[in-house]
Amino acid sequence: MLKRVAILANGGDVAGLNPVIRAIKRTAEENKIECYGFIDGYKGLVENKFIRLDHQPIANGILPRGGSIIGSSTNTIVFNYKVTNPDGSVEYKDLSDLCVQNMMNDRFDCLFTLGGDSTQKSARDLYIKGINVIGVPKTIDNDVMCTEITFGNNTAVSVAAEALDRLHTTAETHHRIMCLEVMGRYAGWIALESAIAGGADVALIPEIPYDINKVVDSIKRRIARGKQFSVVVVSEGAKEKNKEASTYNADIDSKTGISVKFAGAGDKVAKQLQDLIGLESRCTTLGYMQRGGTPTAYDRVLSTKYGAKAMEFAMEGKFGILTVIKNGKLDYVPLEEVVGNNKELGAVEGGTEDSNIRYVTMDHELVKTARDIGICLGD
Ligand code: F6P
């Protein structure tokens, strides 16, 4: 019998975190289970900081709210936790045993981990150490293995599609090429879907290294047809054939594995196109607009389904799992499968090119659809 459960949100925020928290909390309330939230993700678990959520005003009215009422921390791995000593020196320590101890002392029967690949890797590792864990797949990037859709992605795609609608009118008015850089790290889901939803002419994704001359040809063909403007979506991780992606500070916190920050892919493409085509080109980087604000109705429903089902799995005693959508239906897979080849306990992982993430595959129907309607993918 479950008595007390806790939730943590880890990694970059997405619209949909609060609806998941609400669904877990409400399902807990319906079943007379106490529900708590660790503050700022794994950081709260390490520092044992949590708040009660069931029947509390703080957790009321949160369905349409962006962000997370219990915060979230990025670049936090309990197996390699950054500790600043009183003399200012920095050390990385394995604090996983402390987390297990905190869970036991506070008599939590289950921990819900809302997060992406890195968060779920740590969740799997904590499960091996004895914590009853259930993961819920969160990320705008939609790159978590074993699930067809992560919560937060649909809102990000909708924001990008709206931005493309707006860029279209200004591109057309000024006869310009408008590039929109969107997020997604090593996966092109946001770029590809928003390009289709927003009627873009070109979509450059990390999985298809681009040849700029192919992009130039496709835009010139549009010009020849009398279209003096084009709209180009550039995924932040997009790269030219035989070149690296545009990044900065490539070794930020390499101990945590979150080593690469993307920046500049869209600017680079805009400059190349202006130089090679002669039409004025501009780049808009959408950035954190994709993560903030109210979730779409789709994300509210998906998040609510995920949260309620995760709580159901907990009541059935299914732990060490990720709640997923498989063949369009709610299901679960062992976290072991999500982790894939990265089996080593506590190993630095997550947010890297080698992580076990879900890439856009060349036979995916979105790729085919894009090609069918003449979106240039740069190859
Ligand atoms: O993984 C989600 C994401 O928004 C990526 O799309 C983006 O590259 C990254 O996080 C940005 O991370 P940060 O919040 O650390 O700047």
Side-chain angles (χ1 to χ4, degrees), residues 38-327:
F38 280 107
I39 302 300
D40 294 340
Y42 284 128
K43 186 166 181 277
L45 182 58
V46 167
E47 296 174 2
N48 208 25
K49 286 196 185 136
F50 55 85
I51 53 166
R52 188 158 180 175
L53 298 173
D54 56 299
H55 305 292
Q56 304 302 309
I58 187 181
N60 289 343
I62 62 173
L63 182 62
R65 259 164 68 185
S68 156
I69 58 163
I70 53 174
S72 183
S73 59
T74 54
N75 299 0
T76 310
I77 293 173
V78 298
F79 288 79
N80 226 327
Y81 196 81
K82 190 174 180 178
V83 179
T84 309
N85 297 315
D87 66 358
S89 61
V90 167
E91 268 184 273
Y92 286 85
K93 291 188 177 165
D94 178 356
L95 298 181
S96 54
D97 288 339
L98 176 63
C99 295
V100 176
Q101 206 52 54
N102 288 343
M103 283 287 290
M104 278 166 50
N105 291 348
D106 299 321
R107 291 173 287 108
F108 288 126
D109 303 309
C110 173
L111 177 67
F112 297 97
T113 52
L114 319 186
D117 62 307
S118 164
T119 302
Q120 304 309 344
K121 167 72 170 54
S122 293
R124 192 290 307 238
D125 295 352
L126 288 172
Y127 174 66
I128 290 176
K129 288 208 148 197
I131 297 183
N132 286 337
V133 178
I134 297 181
V136 187
K138 169 233 73 171
T139 169
I140 62 166
D141 305 340
N142 200 23
D143 62 352
V144 177
M145 285 303 274
C146 308
T147 189
E148 284 153 20
I149 182 86
T150 57
F151 68 90
N153 170 257
N154 181 265
T155 304
V157 170
S158 304
V159 170
E162 196 204 323
L164 287 169
D165 288 347
R166 293 178 186 278
L167 289 174
H168 254 107
T169 56
T170 172
E172 191 167 12
T173 303
H174 292 292
H175 317 297
R176 283 176 171 165
I177 298 169
M178 287 294 187
C179 295
L180 179 71
E181 182 183 306
V182 298
M183 285 183 165
R185 296 190 67 81
Y186 300 98
W189 298 106
I190 299 176
L192 198 50
E193 286 195 71
S194 64
I196 293 170
D201 308 297
V202 179
L204 304 179
I205 62 172
E207 293 88 342
I208 306 179
Y210 64 89
D211 175 345
I212 196 68
N213 296 313
K214 295 279 168 64
V215 182
V216 168
D217 289 349
S218 80
I219 292 178
K220 282 191 172 163
R221 281 198 297 276
R222 277 176 58 77
I223 295 171
R225 292 200 305 271
K227 304 213 165 149
Q228 298 295 316
F229 71 97
S230 286
V231 174
V232 177
V233 181
V234 184
S235 186
E236 63 180 0
K239 55 186 174 197
E240 261 187 292
K241 264 188 191 156
N242 306 318
K243 300 236 169 91
E244 297 296 320
S246 305
T247 59
Y248 72 97
N249 280 350
D251 56 3
I252 288 179
D253 239 345
S254 55
K255 292 251 183 201
T256 63
I258 314 295
S259 53
V260 174
K261 296 280 171 201
F262 293 95
D267 277 324
K268 179 179 168 182
V269 172
K271 181 163 187 333
Q272 285 175 314
L273 295 179
Q274 177 160 304
D275 290 349
L276 294 167
I277 298 173
L279 274 190
E280 257 193 302
S281 304
R282 297 279 192 275
C283 173
T284 300
T285 301
L286 202 49
Y288 299 90
M289 301 285 291
Q290 293 156 97
R291 295 188 351 195
T294 189
T296 56
Y298 179 94
D299 263 332
R300 294 181 201 192
V301 173
L302 179 68
S303 300
T304 303
K305 280 165 52 176
Y306 266 144
K309 193 68 185 176
M311 190 66 216
E312 260 184 42
F313 287 143
M315 290 187 289
E316 289 166 14
K318 293 191 173 81
F319 300 116
I321 57 166
L322 182 73
T323 314
V324 298
I325 301 283
K326 215 194 271 179
N327 300 323

